[in-house]
């Protein structure tokens, strides 16, 4: 095998020997240290010939020996590296380009050019992207600078519902694979006790208490922020004196009748995008942070050759693709197209009937939204009138809706309740 590589590097010839004294020729080659190998007899045109191989440098030492022995030598084939040089020399630019591309490909494959998340349902892609950003993992960083085991541990510590993680590479793509706990254990929270307070002022229409002490009843008038159900339940002794309080989270269904104000205004004039028909579509390429497209050239032509002076607006749509080799080698090279449409803004005026119709539609949508939330409309008074800008609709509604929001029980609540009880 070693001799084979040496012969390929030096270059050798396949030679055909023809004559009556071929044995004498081979003996003389041996005496003159001319190396021949692969000697074999063959039949050609009803006579014997010999095929052999020799170094190209030794072939030029054979003519005196051929004359003495009356034999002839013909080169059948050339083999070895020296005989490829003329071919390479004629195509030096092509081979240099191939070598440069291979070198660049080997360089870019050491970096991260794409990131994909696998298996995340409860944790969003944006949350994982924020995590990678906090860990200084981003596009274009070297793969060897990422400690995958350390980042997997940090990921599990950051997201409590993630039970298993795997961060690995395939080509130039970084995969972040997670498995989440399907059955999340309920978190035990220390009960501090909460009250239910009113969201708005109004009259209580009904109250059903499941936990806590109700402080109001149906028909009572309440103000915003007033306690409706207290979470502190008093504990009495045999003499019906308060000896303490049991602290709970108040829970109740409370409905209140309260007014709701509505106001909507519409301008008589409204803008419309009008396309001029000037449509430009051009390709672009991105290599790393370098962006190349023909749009600046087109803008120069419009300003200086077409003498286009109007300052219209443009709607731009970009279609972008990343070059991928063998499904997993993502390169920092992008291509795509830029689609630009020219338009201008033109203002139109609504008629009075159109403004009334639009205001009515908006009001009906508002009413539908309330009804979807379970709000009952008891009364409604609506009026439309012209304004300086167009037309205005104002309405006053009387509704019955669920009220109440939780608020932590203040630390001095039990003391106040005890004082109130003593005064009674």
């Amino acid at each position: 095998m070693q001799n084979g590589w040496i012969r390929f590097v030096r270059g050798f010839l396949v030679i055909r020997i023809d004559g009556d004294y071929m044995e004498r020729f081979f003996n003389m080659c041996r005496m003159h240290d001319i190396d021949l190998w692969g000697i074999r007899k063959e039949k050609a045109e009803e006579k014997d010939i010999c095929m052999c191989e020799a170094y190209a440098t030794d072939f030029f030492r054979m003519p005196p020996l051929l004359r003495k022995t009356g034999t002839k030598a013909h080169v059948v084939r050339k083999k070895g590296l020296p005989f490829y040089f003329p071919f390479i020399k004629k195509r030096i630019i092509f081979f240099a380009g191939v070598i440069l591309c291979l070198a660049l490909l080997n360089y870019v494959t050491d970096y991260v050019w794409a990131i994909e998340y696998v298996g995340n349902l409860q944790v969003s892609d944006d949350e994982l992207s924020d995590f990678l950003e906090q860990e200084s993992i981003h596009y274009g960083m070297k793969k060897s600078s990422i400690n995958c085991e350390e980042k997997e541990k940090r990921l599990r510590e950051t997201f409590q519902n993630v039970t298993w993680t795997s961060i690995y590479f395939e080509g130039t793509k970084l995969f972040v694979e997670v498995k989440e706990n399907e059955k999340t254990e309920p978190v035990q929270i220390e009960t501090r006790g909460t009250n239910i307070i009113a969201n708005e002022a109004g009259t209580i229409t009904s109250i059903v208490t499941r936990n806590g002490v109700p402080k109001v009843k149906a028909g009572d008038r309440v103000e915003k922020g007033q306690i409706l159900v207290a979470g502190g339940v008093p504990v009495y002794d045999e003499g019906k004196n308060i000896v303490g309080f049991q602290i709970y989270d108040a829970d109740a269904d409370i409905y209140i009748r309260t007014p709701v104000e509505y106001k909507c205004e519409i301008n008589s004039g409204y803008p419309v995008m009008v396309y001029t028909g000037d449509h430009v579509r051009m390709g672009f390429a991105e290599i790393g942070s370098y962006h190349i497209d023909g749009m600046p050239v087109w803008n120069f032509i419009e300003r200086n050759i077409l003498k286009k002076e109007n300052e219209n607006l443009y709607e731009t749509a970009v279609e972008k693709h990343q070059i991928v080799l063998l499904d997993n080698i993502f390169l920092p090279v992008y291509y795509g197209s830029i689609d630009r449409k020219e338009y201008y803004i033109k203002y139109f005026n609504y008629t009075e009937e159109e403004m009334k119709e639009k205001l009515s539609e908006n009001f009906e949508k508002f009413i539908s939204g309330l009804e979807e939330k379970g709000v009952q409309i008891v009364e409604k008074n609506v009026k439309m009138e012209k304004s300086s800008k167009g037309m205005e609709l104002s309405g006053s509604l009387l509704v019955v809706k669920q009220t109440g929001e939780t608020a932590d029980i203040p630390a001095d609540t039990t003391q106040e309740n005890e004082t109130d009880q003593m005064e009674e």
Side-chain angles (χ1 to χ4, degrees):
M1 180 62 71
Q2 185 176 2
N3 289 338
W5 279 107
I6 294 174
R7 291 167 184 172
F8 178 80
V9 173
R10 289 185 58 182
F12 62 95
L13 306 173
V14 179
I15 305 171
R16 187 182 69 180
I17 306 298
D18 183 12
D20 295 332
Y21 301 99
M22 291 185 290
E23 291 83 354
R24 185 185 175 194
F25 169 74
F26 291 135
N27 290 330
M28 292 184 70
C29 287
R30 184 177 179 184
M31 292 174 59
H32 288 81
D33 293 327
I34 296 175
D35 192 8
L36 299 176
W37 66 89
I39 302 173
R40 60 190 182 277
K41 276 191 175 184
E42 293 185 2
K43 205 78 172 175
E45 298 178 358
E46 298 183 356
K47 61 179 180 179
D48 293 333
I49 61 169
C50 281
M51 302 294 294
C52 64
E53 297 174 358
Y55 289 119
T57 53
D58 288 340
F59 179 76
F60 294 104
R61 298 169 55 198
M62 291 182 183
L65 306 181
L66 293 171
R67 287 193 295 270
K68 286 183 180 180
T69 57
T71 54
K72 297 179 181 179
H74 301 279
V75 177
V76 177
R77 192 183 308 163
K78 300 176 181 179
K79 293 184 177 181
L81 189 60
F83 301 109
Y84 287 100
F85 285 146
F87 173 80
I88 297 174
K89 188 175 180 180
K90 290 179 182 178
R91 298 163 178 81
I92 187 66
I93 296 178
F94 170 78
F95 285 102
V98 171
I99 294 172
L100 179 62
C101 288
L102 292 175
L104 289 175
L105 183 61
N106 182 66
Y107 174 76
V108 299
T109 52
D110 290 336
Y111 294 81
V112 177
W113 301 114
I115 298 175
E116 183 175 335
Y117 307 113
V118 182
N120 57 309
L121 296 176
Q122 302 174 36
V123 182
S124 67
D125 289 355
D126 291 337
E127 290 176 313
L128 291 176
S129 297
D130 292 340
F131 167 79
L132 294 182
E133 186 176 349
Q134 292 174 1
E135 296 297 319
S136 301
I137 298 176
H138 52 80
Y139 295 102
M141 72 178 303
K142 208 162 187 177
K143 293 191 291 187
S144 59
S145 64
I146 302 176
N147 188 332
C148 293
E149 292 184 1
E150 179 185 343
K151 301 308 177 186
E152 289 170 2
K153 182 180 178 182
R154 290 278 299 114
L155 183 59
R156 290 192 296 271
E157 292 174 352
T158 304
F159 301 100
Q160 299 299 323
N161 58 335
V162 173
T163 58
W164 178 85
T165 59
S166 177
I167 299 177
Y168 57 94
F169 300 99
E170 285 189 8
T172 58
K173 180 185 280 190
L174 174 67
F175 284 87
V176 179
E177 187 173 355
V178 301
K179 287 185 179 179
E180 300 166 332
N181 188 3
E182 296 179 0
K183 295 183 179 179
T184 305
E185 294 295 330
V187 180
Q188 299 296 330
I189 302 175
E190 183 180 353
T191 302
R192 295 180 299 172
T194 56
N195 296 328
I196 297 178
I197 62 175
N199 298 75
E200 55 271 304
T203 302
I204 301 297
T205 59
S206 69
I207 177 170
V208 177
T209 305
R210 286 186 292 271
N211 208 14
V213 179
K215 294 295 184 179
V216 296
K217 60 183 182 298
D220 288 352
R221 175 75 184 178
V222 299
E223 299 297 328
K224 183 177 180 180
Q226 181 178 338
I227 296 177
L228 305 180
V229 179
V233 179
V235 178
Y236 298 92
D237 60 10
E238 294 179 355
K240 296 185 178 180
N241 296 317
I242 298 176
V243 295
F245 285 86
Q246 291 285 343
I247 304 301
Y248 298 98
D249 289 330
D251 185 17
D253 290 332
I254 309 168
Y255 287 87
I256 189 172
R257 184 169 62 248
T258 182
V260 175
E261 300 297 326
Y262 174 81
K263 187 175 182 180
C264 179
E265 187 176 6
I266 186 170
N267 295 331
S268 58
Y270 62 96
V272 175
M273 293 173 56
V274 180
Y275 293 95
T276 64
D278 187 355
H279 177 214
V280 180
R281 185 181 180 89
M282 288 189 176
F284 74 90
E286 281 186 11
I287 302 175
S289 59
Y290 297 96
H291 180 93
I292 304 170
D293 67 69
M295 205 60 74
V297 177
W298 179 253
N299 292 336
F300 176 82
I301 293 173
E302 284 187 333
R303 288 193 306 267
N304 298 278
I305 299 178
L306 302 179
K307 304 297 182 182
K308 194 173 182 180
E309 298 180 356
N310 58 327
E311 298 181 358
N312 288 337
L313 303 173
Y314 295 97
E315 181 186 75
T316 304
V318 179
E319 185 179 346
K320 187 175 180 180
H321 306 279
Q322 187 174 10
I323 292 181
V324 185
L325 302 179
L326 303 176
D327 294 333
N328 287 319
I329 303 177
F330 288 77
L331 303 181
V333 181
Y334 300 84
Y335 68 94
S337 61
I338 301 174
D339 195 356
R340 192 180 74 174
K341 296 179 182 179
E342 187 182 52
Y343 71 93
Y344 62 91
I345 301 296
K346 186 175 181 180
Y347 285 87
F348 295 87
N349 291 322
Y350 289 116
T351 64
E352 186 173 338
E353 292 300 322
E354 287 175 335
M355 286 191 288
K356 288 181 179 179
E357 184 179 351
K358 284 196 167 290
L359 288 172
S360 298
E361 288 178 1
N362 293 340
F363 183 67
E364 290 300 325
K365 289 179 181 178
F366 174 72
I367 295 296
S368 298
L370 292 178
E371 291 176 345
E372 287 177 1
K373 296 176 182 178
V375 178
Q376 300 176 18
I377 311 298
V378 179
E379 293 180 7
K380 57 181 176 180
N381 297 312
V382 181
K383 68 175 181 178
M384 290 187 190
E385 57 185 2
K386 288 186 177 180
S387 65
S388 58
K389 295 181 180 180
M391 187 166 284
E392 181 180 88
L393 182 147
S394 57
S396 178
L397 308 176
L398 187 62
V399 303
V400 174
K401 57 179 290 191
Q402 192 167 8
T403 190
E405 62 182 8
T406 58
D408 291 341
I409 298 177
D412 58 348
T413 299
T414 55
Q415 297 176 2
E416 293 177 358
N417 288 337
E418 289 176 357
T419 303
D420 294 343
Q421 185 69 16
M422 291 173 63
E423 291 176 354
E424 292 176 359

